[in-house]
Amino acid sequence: MLQNNRLRLYFALASWALLTVAARAADFRPPAVPLITIDPYTSCWSMANELHVDWPRHWTGKVHAMTGFIRVDGKSWRFMGNAPEVAKTATQRSLEVRPTQTIYQFEAAGARLALTFTAPLLLDDLELVSRPANYVTFEV
């Protein structure tokens, strides 16, 4: 009986520790979020907490004026960049940074947008790594 209680206690402590680590990982936001990462000379990062607050930038701080708009029911909403042409901004719901992808979730006027930046930097495929391209995928 004592053995079972100890096992239950260890299991409960281990579960609590894993949940705590998972919660911290979910709240993690790097100082700069990678968008385009071809090489050190060709890279673009978001240094703002929300993608529409500031322009994406090179790691040196130079502005890379990428902007993104979504049109919902004839009205434009800005989800990327600090372009003053469109004042309404989509609400950024989430950000997930993975080893080869950055995924943003937005919502505007009831429409949802998933924006995925993918850098195909898989070291087991040298031909793919040497390709000077990144991918941006939109899902509405």
Side-chain angles (χ1 to χ4, degrees):
M1 186 68 144
L2 185 60
Q3 182 83 14
N4 286 339
N5 287 339
R6 281 187 182 164
L7 286 175
R8 285 186 186 131
L9 177 63
Y10 291 144
F11 180 74
L13 288 173
S15 299
W16 176 80
L18 286 174
L19 288 173
T20 302
V21 169
R24 286 184 189 153
D27 295 336
F28 173 73
R29 195 234 176 248
V33 176
L35 304 177
I36 308 294
T37 55
I38 295 172
D39 60 39
Y41 303 105
T42 311
S43 65
C44 186
W45 303 74
S46 174
M47 298 177 189
N49 284 335
E50 294 187 6
L51 193 57
H52 63 79
V53 171
D54 192 15
W55 293 108
R57 298 174 180 272
H58 187 261
W59 60 267
T60 61
K62 181 182 176 194
V63 171
H64 287 307
M66 292 182 6
T67 190
F69 304 109
I70 183 172
R71 187 170 294 212
V72 180
D73 295 330
K75 295 179 182 170
S76 295
W77 299 77
R78 179 170 37 95
F79 61 86
M80 179 171 59
N82 194 14
E85 294 83 12
V86 176
K88 291 183 180 181
T89 58
T91 303
Q92 182 175 313
R93 294 291 179 204
S94 67
L95 165 65
E96 182 179 357
V97 179
R98 296 180 180 174
T100 61
Q101 292 183 317
T102 298
I103 303 167
Y104 285 95
Q105 301 283 336
F106 297 96
E107 190 173 325
R112 292 186 180 177
L113 168 66
L115 178 64
T116 305
F117 295 89
T118 303
L121 300 175
L122 303 173
L123 297 179
D124 62 343
D125 188 343
L126 293 179
E127 186 176 320
L128 187 62
V129 169
S130 66
R131 188 179 305 162
N134 276 195
Y135 304 99
V136 181
T137 308
F138 301 88
E139 185 179 333
V140 179

